[in-house]
Amino acid sequence: MNISLTIAGILSVSLLGTLLHFTYRWSGRNPLIGLIAPVNESVWEHMKLLFFPMLLFGLWSLKGETDACRISAFHAGLLMGTLPMPVLYYSYTSALGHSILAVDITIFYICVIAAFLIYRGLSGSCLLEKYSHVTSMAVFLLLICFLLFTYFPPGFSIFKDPEG
């Protein structure tokens, strides 16, 4: 993955993720839009801001790709960008006792950059090639969880809307 594609990915996912934050409300709370856009202010729903725009970017940039090295690198970047978001959020809010919007936004952008740096770094190394089926299944499982838990969330705090 070259540097210009990395920068394009970071910028496009950052922009799409930012817009996606408001899309559900703008759609008149359309339930289909809610499958990919946050339906509330829970940490879980905000993980969609990175996951779906980056997935879309990957579908575009990897169209027709058969190289397991690049595909598994993309999946690793997608997972390692999305999954640390709640860890970082709960780490700092546990330390401070409350959340700060500017820090929440910064976490999103740091995770987007990290996702693309991981993708770029692993693209040429083929370190995950033998795990490509595992990374593909992990992305697919996370996708199913996003779709299912949007309207049927478990009772854990990560799924709870702090505003409602």
Side-chain angles (χ1 to χ4, degrees), residues 37-57:
V39 299
N40 62 44
E41 293 297 319
S42 71
V43 174
W44 174 260
E45 289 292 311
H46 279 74
M47 292 166 63
K48 292 177 179 181
L49 299 178
L50 188 149
F51 183 84
F52 285 105
M54 187 162 177
L55 186 62
L56 180 64
F57 181 84

Side-chain angles (χ1 to χ4, degrees), residues 9 12 34 109 145:
S12 62
Y109 292 119
C145 288

Side-chain angles (χ1 to χ4, degrees), residues 5 8 55-64:
L5 191 59
L55 186 62
L56 180 64
F57 181 84
L59 291 172
W60 170 77
S61 68
L62 294 170
K63 184 172 66 170

Side-chain angles (χ1 to χ4, degrees), residues 124-161:
S125 72
C126 283
L127 286 173
L128 298 178
E129 180 182 25
K130 64 183 174 183
Y131 303 107
S132 65
H133 290 89
V134 174
T135 61
S136 295
M137 288 303 298
V139 168
F140 181 73
L141 180 61
L142 187 56
L143 171 66
I144 296 302
C145 288
F146 278 127
L147 299 177
L148 181 64
F149 296 157
T150 293
Y151 295 112
F152 304 101
F156 303 112
S157 62
I158 192 172
F159 300 100
K160 292 189 184 307
D161 183 355

Side-chain angles (χ1 to χ4, degrees), residues 19-41 45 48-49 150-151:
L19 292 174
L20 197 59
H21 186 273
F22 307 100
T23 305
Y24 179 67
R25 191 169 14 114
W26 290 343
S27 75
R29 303 194 187 291
N30 182 312
L32 290 176
I33 299 297
L35 292 173
I36 62 164
V39 299
N40 62 44
E41 293 297 319
E45 289 292 311
K48 292 177 179 181
L49 299 178
T150 293
Y151 295 112

Side-chain angles (χ1 to χ4, degrees), residues 70-89:
R70 288 203 54 220
I71 293 169
S72 59
F74 172 76
H75 289 153
L78 178 59
L79 294 167
M80 295 309 297
T82 305
L83 298 176
M85 292 175 78
V87 173
L88 294 170
Y89 174 81

